[in-house]
Amino acid sequence: MEYINLLNKITAVDDDPFFLHFIEDKFQEIGISNINLYSDPNAGLESLIVKSDFNDIVLVDLQMPEIDGIAFLKLLGDAGYKGQVIVISGFESKVLSMAESIAKQRNLAILGQLTKPFSAQQLNGLVDRALSRILSAENAELAATIGNYDPDIFEINEETLFPVIQPQIELGSENIVGYEILSRLKAQDGSIIYPSQFISDFEENGRISEFNKVLFRSSFARMAKYDNVKFSMNLSMRDLNSHRIVDDIDSLLNEFGVQPSRLTIEITETCLVENLLTAQEIATRLRLLGCSLAIDDYGTGYSTMKQLTEFPFQELKIDRQYISSCHTHEENQIIIRSTVEMAKALGMRVVAEGVETKQELAFVKEAGIEIVQGYYYSKPYVWA
């Protein structure tokens, strides 16, 4: 297996010694040895939380007598475990999916789920996903050490901004039909600071508008160098509270001579719920400018289908938590198919985010999704 040397500590926790050896055998079948086996969940937990790294993997059985799998995942999350997690159970897929969802909310890096008994091929697929995440720039943030970063005094300017773009692919032709602009910052020591590490900081300390002014100006200047190329970018939750953002975008479009039809503004679903009326006003004003609108991370918030009809959206982006391993998750398949059907009935195009594997690609294509974004085609890269 390529890049197998990138994996650090692999641990399996299951109260059944027989099944622990079954897990060990399956790893050996895919060329991996030296698995740490724990039939005592307390001992396993103690070993895992002493020191962890994103390159670690732990397999956790959900049904254990002393500490059940959900309690175990909670303790892992509370301890700040950095490794990647695979949940295992003999229960039906819905229980596994709930456990996976709970673990994500505990800020654990979930690789996926395995139903007892599983095959070496199924295990190999999840290990491949782990290696892909380790190699990817986006997930490297989870193990990165940030130098010289204080959100209150960090200088936000053209030199410290480090924008990257990720292509969106039309499946029929496999042509690039647009790019999403993704923001990064660069610390004084050259280390990259990712959105999950600074956006919430800037929202809390009131510097998000300062950041967005630099990001938007830099992005529009770059967009002006391209002809007929479409780009999309996000608005933060704080931006949706102020109509000034519409005037700022209008001014930049005019200053750099960028056609509004080349810009798609992505608004997250949770923003719409928390600022419904203001978000409606801002969204409508942006459409009147000629920009396109997308609802981002669909399925992660609490908006209703009715609310979708109350906004002038033209695009719906299905969150990658539903795309991940969708070819094996029956519930996710149902959600994806129904979402695609609903969006098309409302005249909206659908984008699948986070497509990483050939199997995921095959399913979203079969489900009727026409545009995808994810590491299967390209990870984000520097926007010159």
Side-chain angles (χ1 to χ4, degrees):
M1 184 184 294
E2 195 175 9
Y3 303 115
I4 196 172
N5 61 309
L6 293 176
L7 296 174
N8 288 341
K9 183 170 68 174
I10 300 178
T11 303
V13 182
D14 192 309
D15 64 298
D16 184 351
F18 173 80
F19 198 75
L20 281 176
H21 290 297
F22 172 86
I23 293 172
E24 187 177 37
D25 289 343
K26 292 305 172 185
F27 269 106
Q28 289 177 350
E29 285 184 42
I30 63 174
I32 299 176
S33 55
N34 299 321
I35 312 302
N36 299 290
L37 306 175
Y38 289 93
S39 58
D40 180 354
N42 288 295
L45 184 66
E46 183 178 347
S47 170
L48 291 167
I49 64 179
V50 169
K51 183 180 179 182
S52 63
D53 186 271
F54 187 65
N55 296 33
D56 297 341
I57 297 177
V58 60
L59 293 83
V60 181
D61 181 32
L62 292 183
Q63 194 173 22
M64 297 184 290
E66 292 187 30
I67 304 177
D68 66 59
I70 299 301
F72 191 94
L73 291 171
K74 178 185 181 300
L75 293 169
L76 269 188
D78 291 344
Y81 179 70
K82 297 177 182 177
Q84 304 187 63
V85 180
I86 298 172
V87 292
I88 306 174
S89 177
F91 281 89
E92 67 271 17
S93 62
K94 196 161 188 177
V95 172
L96 278 166
S97 295
M98 284 302 300
E100 187 175 344
S101 174
I102 289 168
K104 286 178 180 177
Q105 293 178 65
R106 291 286 177 186
N107 296 316
L108 294 170
I110 295 296
L111 280 173
Q113 53 183 260
L114 291 170
T115 302
K116 293 182 178 181
F118 56 84
S119 67
Q121 183 179 8
Q122 290 171 316
L123 177 62
N124 190 68
L126 293 180
V127 172
D128 276 343
R129 180 182 294 278
L131 292 171
S132 174
R133 288 180 171 186
I134 292 168
L135 287 166
S136 72
E138 180 171 338
N139 288 289
E141 68 182 274
L142 299 173
T145 300
I146 304 174
N148 303 316
Y149 169 66
D150 182 330
D152 293 326
I153 62 175
F154 186 87
E155 290 190 24
I156 305 171
N157 54 45
E158 290 277 354
E159 293 183 358
T160 59
L161 184 68
F162 188 71
V164 297
I165 53 176
Q166 186 174 36
Q168 296 178 333
I169 310 297
E170 196 277 317
L171 290 180
S173 63
E174 292 200 320
N175 290 331
I176 296 174
V177 293
Y179 298 86
E180 181 177 1
I181 302 168
L182 302 166
S183 55
R184 309 282 191 265
L185 293 177
K186 185 184 294 184
Q188 290 182 10
D189 65 356
S191 58
I192 301 303
I193 310 169
Y194 292 81
S196 62
Q197 296 166 315
F198 68 79
I199 291 294
S200 60
D201 289 337
F202 289 162
E203 287 183 334
E204 289 176 8
N205 66 15
R207 300 188 72 196
I208 191 65
S209 295
E210 178 187 352
F211 166 76
N212 278 328
K213 283 182 179 180
V214 177
L215 174 63
F216 273 76
R217 174 165 288 278
S218 175
S219 299
F220 278 70
R222 285 175 166 83
M223 287 175 63
K225 299 176 183 179
Y226 297 78
D227 292 325
N228 302 318
V229 179
K230 295 184 177 182
F231 293 88
S232 62
M233 59 196 311
N234 283 278
L235 282 183
S236 79
M237 197 173 296
R238 185 67 58 87
D239 288 319
L240 292 177
N241 289 322
S242 172
H243 281 265
R244 183 174 179 178
I245 189 66
V246 181
D247 299 324
D248 289 343
I249 290 174
D250 187 24
S251 177
L252 288 169
L253 288 170
N254 290 318
E255 179 180 348
F256 291 101
V258 175
Q259 292 297 317
S261 58
R262 292 176 50 206
L263 176 64
T264 296
I265 299 294
E266 299 183 5
I267 303 174
T268 61
E269 191 181 2
T270 49
C271 291
L272 303 182
V273 176
E274 296 184 14
N275 308 276
L276 185 57
L277 178 58
T278 302
Q280 284 179 321
E281 294 169 345
I282 292 173
T284 304
R285 289 187 65 199
L286 287 169
R287 281 292 293 122
L288 292 173
L289 285 182
C291 301
S292 296
L293 289 179
I295 180 168
D296 193 22
D297 299 335
Y298 184 77
T300 61
Y302 302 95
S303 67
T304 64
M305 294 182 187
K306 183 176 184 297
Q307 287 173 0
L308 279 181
T309 67
E310 295 175 340
F311 287 82
F313 291 118
Q314 296 144 297
E315 179 177 293
L316 183 152
K317 300 187 76 174
I318 300 178
D319 187 72
R320 62 183 175 182
Q321 76 175 47
Y322 296 105
I323 302 301
S324 177
S325 300
C326 58
H327 56 291
T328 59
H329 290 200
E330 185 177 354
E331 290 83 4
N332 285 4
Q333 292 175 8
I334 295 170
I335 291 170
I336 291 169
R337 286 196 175 100
S338 62
T339 299
V340 171
E341 183 179 357
M342 175 193 65
K344 289 190 174 183
L346 294 172
M348 301 167 64
R349 59 183 175 269
V350 183
V351 177
E353 294 186 287
V355 175
E356 295 183 355
T357 68
K358 184 180 294 185
Q359 293 86 350
E360 291 168 358
L361 181 69
F363 175 78
V364 299
K365 189 172 184 179
E366 183 271 330
I369 294 174
E370 299 172 347
I371 301 173
V372 301
Q373 180 179 337
Y375 296 131
Y376 180 82
Y377 282 106
S378 174
K379 66 180 183 181
Y381 52 84
V382 178
W383 191 13

